[in-house]
Structures are given as C-alpha cells and as structure tokens.
Amino acid sequence: VASSLEGNKGIFVRGFDRLIRSLVLANKIVWIVGPVPEASVRVPKALYIKHIGFDTTDIDIPVASFWSRNKTILSIFSDLAKKYPIRFIWPQHVLCDDKKCPVSANGNAIYLDDNHLSVFGALETAPLYNGIFSNSQNAIPSVSESFQK
C-alpha cells in the first residue's frame, strides 16, 4: 500500500500490466469488462420513493458523470490496449444513451444497489458477451470503437 492515491494507482497499474503480460505470453485471449455506470443512490429504494411520490429528483446517471468518474481506469485500459492484444466489453454501450444512463427500464431496476447490476440489468448486458463464446469477430467492437460512445 502506498502513502498516496497516486502511489496506489501506480501499484495497481504495474500489477495489472504484469497480469496482462503474463496472460498474453501464455497465449490466452484476454477480455476486460469496462466499468458499469454508478448511481448516486440505492436504486431500488430511490425508485420506490419516486413511485410513491415523495421525491421527483432525477436519479438517472448523467453520461458525463460516467466518463468523468471512470477517466482514470479508461486511460489505463487505453494504454494497455496499445501494448497488448486485449479485448473489451463495454456495458455502457447498452446501459447509456448520449445523455444519460437510466437506472430503470420498463418498470425494472437496472441496479441492485448503487453500483451492482440487478438480474434485469445483467440480462440487458448479456448480449455483449456473445463475442467471447463465438468465433465471429464481428460481434467484438474494435479498441477505437470501444473508448467512444
């Protein structure tokens, strides 16, 4: 453990780089799942409170907040993608639109709490994993596509 957040970031980056390098050298195909947007509230509770009319606050996640919150890890992923033949799965591609990442859809909570997908949310992202289990590279977004919305 380092004495600062920046020091801890360095420890993480070096360790993650070593892990990826070891897997690639072992001829493994490496898939990394990108970050899931994180809500600022416990979603089921907040949806219930909205449903009974006690609060009308917009609890959806602004897409700008997603990008800002994940700037560091996305930068790390981008740097690793330049060094290694790794592949990515991007949950935000199905969880967000150009402006927001809704916390519910069709009356179903997408989150179990503030940062874990519910079963409904996981099922929404499930098609993203099809490329891992098929030989079709068409289902896999390129690295350049992946870091963009």
Side-chain angles (χ1 to χ4, degrees), residues 108-120:
N108 296 293
I110 294 174
Y111 295 87
L112 183 63
D113 50 22
D114 62 345
N115 65 348
H116 295 96
L117 295 176
S118 65
V119 171
F120 177 81

Side-chain angles (χ1 to χ4, degrees), residues 41-49 59 109 111-114 118:
V41 296
R42 290 179 33 217
V43 172
K45 179 180 178 182
L47 289 173
Y48 175 72
I49 291 169
I59 59 174
Y111 295 87
L112 183 63
D113 50 22
D114 62 345
S118 65

